[in-house]
Amino acid sequence: MELKNISQIERATRFGQPEMFRFGVALLFVIGIMLAAGMSLGDIPQNYMLITAAMVGGYMAMNIGANDVANNVGPAVGSKALTLTGAIAIAAIFEASGALIAGGDVVSTVKQGIIDPTLIADSDSFIWLMMAALLAGALWLNIATALGAPVSTTHSIVGGVLGAGLAAGGPGIANWGTLGQIAASWVISPLLGGAIAAGFLYLIKRTITYQEDMKAAAQRVVPVLVAAMAWAFSTYLILKGIKPIWKVEFGGAALFGLLCATLVYLLARHLIGRVADHLPGDKAGINGLFTVPLIFAAALLSFAHGANDVANAVGPLAAINDAVLHGGIAREASIPLWVMLVGACGIAIGLALYGPKLIRTVGSEITELDQMRAYCIAMAAAITVILATQLGLPVSSTHIAVGAVFGVGFLREFLKASYSKMVAEIKAHHQGKGEAEVEAFLIEFRKASLANKALMLQQLKEHSARAELSKKERKGLKRVYKTELVKRSALMKIVAAWVITVPVSGLLAAILYFAIRGFMLP
């Protein structure tokens, strides 16, 4: 009886064991930062503030890894191009590599220039402001991750800096024009990402999956698509990933990307020609051709993300470090190696511990993905950033990737509904004919290319009785054949989280600033 009770207790507590393990590892990382910073900083003035800031920076970095990295690898995992374990390993390695290799030597102390640091009264107030902003951004990311909502880490830290800045210097300290651009990115980013992803998916369907001989079509088109990915990602990586170590203008980056694309096209055409004979000529076989490009895409996106977004964790920390060591307020601050290590290791650890939840959300809980759809999402992520950079549009990589997932899902809904209505129209024009004749026509219709489908429908209308439907009947058919392939509850939750990110992190930062200021004043 006692052994049975023990077994029941073990089963009841099994769910909490992994959570306690993750919490324990995260706590050990933060404590390790405290000990390492304490030993390396020595007896400099206000070293306790810098040690505390380092711990908060590590906490922020873990939350970036837990929430933001899902956008880079989620589609590849959802399409089964990568396993969850493989995706986490690739992302952790390339995120940390991007942060350490191309994270930059100097960072802006005030992200996006949303406040004027010269209006801060003294260096102590500036330190408290940055501490509050960093902690507020981390807390909001933690809450969003727990809710399963992918949000922008950049917007989280922007909201934190804004809220703490308003608390420290009043309304005049804020650059409201910049904030207007950030608000615009809530709309621009997902719409651009969704439109580009949907456009690529429709292109793939027209040129490959809607063709009668899908295998032959794939042999012609897939090398071009892979080369286009190579061009986009080479250009993207030069412009965004390695900008701190090699500054190249758009023209040079595009030419280098074109060279890479040419080499990749020749290689892809050769390899696809070799494996095509062993592939089934159906959609599943064609999907397999996109697996390797998706693995490279996940790695390159992670590298570029680590190089860019590590600043969200280490930027305020570098600003605090500069203020403590030099006693002033600067618009830019150098990033010591130990600060960059905090950011790089924190992102990797946060991804490994808490990343799977958001990876599943992006990869499988919004809409069903396969390798072709995941390819379209990856292309949208790279091309949108390139376009936005050249046009000076404010965009969020998180909003782009998630918007691309929704764009793919909504296009699938539209195409499925259109096809169902065509089938209903075929059946309406076959009224009075045998079931076998109708089924034979539908089988031939499904196998036909898009052009032949249109021709078959036209001939059917010309040689059969007209099947007129009233306006009310057409609306009824539209409702009947509307298929929801995008989870609406996920859409509402994510959009709501995006809208409140800046206000919530700003409010948290203002509260934290007054709390820290209250503790520190004599």
Side-chain angles (χ1 to χ4, degrees), residues 156-167:
S156 299
I157 199 66
V158 161
V161 171
L162 174 65
L166 291 174

Side-chain angles (χ1 to χ4, degrees), residues 240-317:
K240 302 295 288 184
I242 58 176
K243 181 173 62 175
I245 56 176
W246 184 30
K247 291 186 179 180
V248 180
E249 296 299 322
F250 174 73
L255 284 174
F256 183 82
L258 185 61
L259 175 62
C260 292
T262 304
L263 296 175
V264 168
Y265 172 77
L266 296 173
L267 180 62
R269 189 176 63 174
H270 173 69
L271 293 175
I272 290 171
R274 286 179 56 186
V275 303
D277 293 335
H278 306 289
L279 285 176
D282 56 8
K283 194 174 179 181
I286 307 306
N287 262 312
L289 297 175
F290 290 89
T291 300
V292 174
L294 280 174
I295 294 171
F296 278 98
L300 294 175
L301 281 172
S302 296
F303 184 90
H305 180 269
N308 280 280
D309 280 31
V310 70
N312 291 326
V314 304
L317 176 55

Side-chain angles (χ1 to χ4, degrees), residues 15 22 74 117 120 223 230 248-249 322 363 371 391 422 468 477 489:
F15 175 77
R22 287 193 288 266
I120 305 299
V248 180
E249 296 299 322
D322 190 75
Q371 285 96 322
L391 296 174
M422 281 192 287
E468 295 292 346
L477 274 177
S489 60

